[in-house]
Amino acid sequence: MTSEHRPSALRRAGARAWAALGSSLWPVPVLAIVVAIGLGIGLPAADQLLQQPGGRHPLFLVFGGGPSAARDLLAAIAGSLISVTGLTFSFTVVALQLSSSQHSPRLLQTFVTDRVVQATLGLLVGTFVYALTVLRTVRAEDAAGTGFVPRISVTVGFVLTLASVVGLVLFLGHLARSLRVETMLRDVSDEARGTYARVLADDPRADGPEPVIPASAVPTTVCARRSGFLTAVDRQQIAAAAAEADAVVLLEPRIGDSVVAGTPVAHIGPSRPGGFPAVDAVERALHRGLRLDFERTPQHDVAYSLRKVVDIAVRALSPGTNDPTTAVHALSHVSALLGELVAHPLRPTTVRDDEGVLRLVVPQWDMHDLLRLGLEEPLHFASGQPAVLRRVAGLLREVAWRSPRGPLDDELRRYLDRVVGLAEGTTALDPGETALWRRRFDEALAGRWAPEG
């Protein structure tokens, strides 16, 4: 890689590391531990500088007890906080497991990235480590009268304990709200909008040339070396290698797709007729540039958040749960997410070199796949549920209103026919109501939305 590419490579590596840290639970608590150790060493040193003969202290409102009282207080802080931390998060994990089994196990990922959870855990373990670090500096008076009580440090420990108690109460309230399905749906929808904003910012809204590999060329098929979900693509690294080899790379999976070791992951061909690119360097860059993880992540995967919301709707409609109200709420979020996606249809991501030659094509989720993801499974379980069928009919009307004219019209109409068929065959809905669904749908397709009345 040339020197001008190194800064951008470092920035991309930094961005990937920051994204990985943001999706983990441990960075904030570990940072809190480091800060607590620093305070536990630095504040006692400041206490020694400020301490006057006879153990007097120039500051008011600081701890006024002796060495024994300081030891007891710090030991009580450390012992109680580590116990409370363990019990609180044990109960939290149990509650989240019950919630994930009822709604979707993929919602646990949202809990891990919750800033309130990270901050509360950091405050509790940080105060515990701080109390232990300060405790080692307390010295009882000996015959020479060289005892030492870090009064500022003990006072700060007491204040941190009060803050931990307040933080624990706020955390329990936050947890109670977070376990409600309405809050989960809101959080997933917010996550989805953040993903859409990032992906749309990278979408050049330009049509690429077809075909991108000359028809006479036989592309080299590259197989994956390991399995996992494709979560990110280092587009610049792959495109730079393709430019040096005068090649074009067609990626096979979309971000969010499952990749199996030994199956095709990309095709490498010449960028112009008659070319024969050296694919070894491109293949190495390709394997380095594809990030495969054991689970999907929402950073660049536009379908992942929709998958979570659909999971909630399907679990609510399953015979074991039978909660149509939750399914209706979830379908409202499905409508909102599908509306965002069909209003801004995504194209494959393309990367060109400085001369404008196409070097990399990354496939994207199209409108038909996203519509299938949002509707297939809920419709499978919606039989005999009038409220759910009404909501799906309304969803189709809303998506028809927001979608561009033409590409999805026939597919949306087929889904409406299926909904009407389920309503007429498994429920006692009035045929006049299903006729109203059709009329409203046709008006939405035509760009009209008549007022209710």
Side-chain angles (χ1 to χ4, degrees):
M1 184 178 292
T2 59
S3 59
E4 60 268 18
H5 290 142
R6 290 195 185 101
S8 60
L10 291 175
R11 285 194 297 270
R12 293 193 298 271
R16 290 195 299 270
W18 182 257
L21 291 177
S23 61
S24 302
L25 181 62
W26 61 266
V28 172
V30 168
L31 178 61
I33 290 173
V34 173
V35 173
I37 293 175
L39 288 175
I41 294 174
L43 286 179
D47 269 308
Q48 284 184 324
L49 294 176
L50 293 173
Q51 184 169 292
Q52 298 175 351
R56 295 187 303 275
H57 203 281
L59 299 179
F60 297 100
L61 300 177
V62 295
F63 178 75
S68 178
R71 285 181 178 276
D72 291 343
L73 179 59
L74 293 171
I77 291 173
S80 60
L81 280 180
I82 197 63
S83 299
V84 168
T85 302
L87 286 174
T88 300
F89 279 86
S90 296
F91 291 143
T92 300
V93 170
V94 172
L96 288 171
Q97 286 177 338
L98 293 174
S99 178
S100 66
S101 64
Q102 183 176 0
H103 302 302
S104 172
R106 276 154 291 281
L107 295 175
L108 285 174
Q109 189 181 63
T110 305
F111 170 78
V112 170
T113 59
D114 192 326
R115 298 304 182 191
V116 175
V117 175
Q118 295 176 350
T120 303
L121 183 57
L123 179 61
L124 293 175
V125 299
T127 304
F128 164 73
V129 171
Y130 173 82
L132 284 183
T133 306
V134 174
L135 183 60
R136 55 187 279 279
T137 65
V138 180
R139 296 191 303 272
E141 291 189 5
D142 53 17
T146 58
F148 174 64
V149 177
R151 302 189 183 282
I152 296 179
S153 304
V154 175
T155 304
V156 171
F158 177 73
V159 173
L160 287 176
T161 304
L162 295 179
S164 298
V165 173
V166 174
L168 179 61
V169 172
L170 295 177
F171 168 75
L172 293 176
H174 175 77
L175 180 64
R177 291 192 302 272
S178 298
L179 293 178
R180 295 167 53 191
V181 66
E182 289 82 3
T183 305
M184 295 179 184
L185 288 168
R186 181 204 63 193
D187 292 342
V188 175
S189 296
D190 292 342
E191 172 189 273
R193 291 184 180 91
T195 303
Y196 300 164
R198 286 190 294 271
V199 173
L200 289 173
D202 291 335
D203 187 4
R205 300 277 100 189
D207 295 327
E210 293 291 345
V212 292
I213 291 179
S216 59
V218 179
T220 300
T221 299
V222 180
C223 294
R225 294 177 178 174
R226 59 190 183 93
S227 302
F229 291 99
L230 181 62
T231 59
V233 178
D234 191 338
R235 295 173 296 179
Q236 298 304 322
Q237 178 180 354
I238 299 173
E244 292 179 3
D246 197 18
V248 59
V249 179
L250 306 182
L251 206 60
E252 185 75 19
R254 302 163 298 194
I255 293 181
D257 281 341
S258 176
V259 175
V260 178
T263 60
V265 73
H267 306 282
I268 304 174
S271 61
R272 54 178 58 89
F276 297 95
V279 300
D280 291 343
V282 182
E283 186 174 347
R284 289 193 297 270
L286 181 66
H287 288 302
R288 290 194 305 267
L290 299 182
R291 180 179 174 183
L292 301 177
D293 286 337
F294 68 96
E295 65 176 346
R296 296 170 70 175
T297 59
Q299 274 72 30
H300 306 284
D301 187 350
V302 296
Y304 188 40
S305 298
L306 180 61
R307 172 75 268 174
K308 293 179 184 179
V309 178
V310 171
D311 282 349
I312 296 175
V314 171
R315 290 290 184 96
L317 290 172
S318 64
T321 304
N322 194 22
D323 183 7
T325 302
T326 296
V328 169
H329 292 175
L331 288 171
S332 296
H333 287 269
V334 171
S335 177
L337 298 184
L338 284 177
E340 289 283 340
L341 292 169
V342 300
H344 305 90
L346 298 170
R347 297 182 176 89
T349 301
T350 59
V351 181
R352 302 175 183 273
D353 60 16
D354 295 337
E355 298 177 356
V357 179
L358 186 65
R359 297 303 180 187
L360 174 65
V361 178
V362 182
Q364 185 57 272
W365 292 83
D366 62 28
M367 296 185 292
H368 304 281
D369 292 333
L370 293 168
L371 195 62
R372 191 179 307 119
L373 172 62
L375 291 174
E376 266 192 346
E377 294 178 18
L379 281 177
H380 179 74
F381 292 97
S383 177
Q385 299 283 358
V388 176
L389 293 173
R390 288 190 185 98
R391 188 65 196 92
V392 176
L395 181 156
L396 292 171
R397 182 192 186 196
E398 292 154 1
V399 174
W401 173 264
R402 301 191 65 181
S403 65
R405 301 282 74 83
L408 290 178
D409 292 359
D410 293 338
E411 189 168 0
L412 289 171
R413 196 177 299 280
R414 285 195 297 271
Y415 278 114
L416 182 64
D417 291 340
R418 184 175 173 185
V419 173
V420 171
L422 288 173
E424 294 175 345
T426 63
T427 67
L429 287 175
D430 186 347
E433 183 174 355
T434 58
L436 179 62
W437 296 352
R438 289 188 183 277
R439 185 170 68 253
R440 288 176 173 173
F441 174 82
D442 291 337
E443 290 175 349
L445 275 185
R448 299 190 304 272
W449 192 288
E452 302 291 337

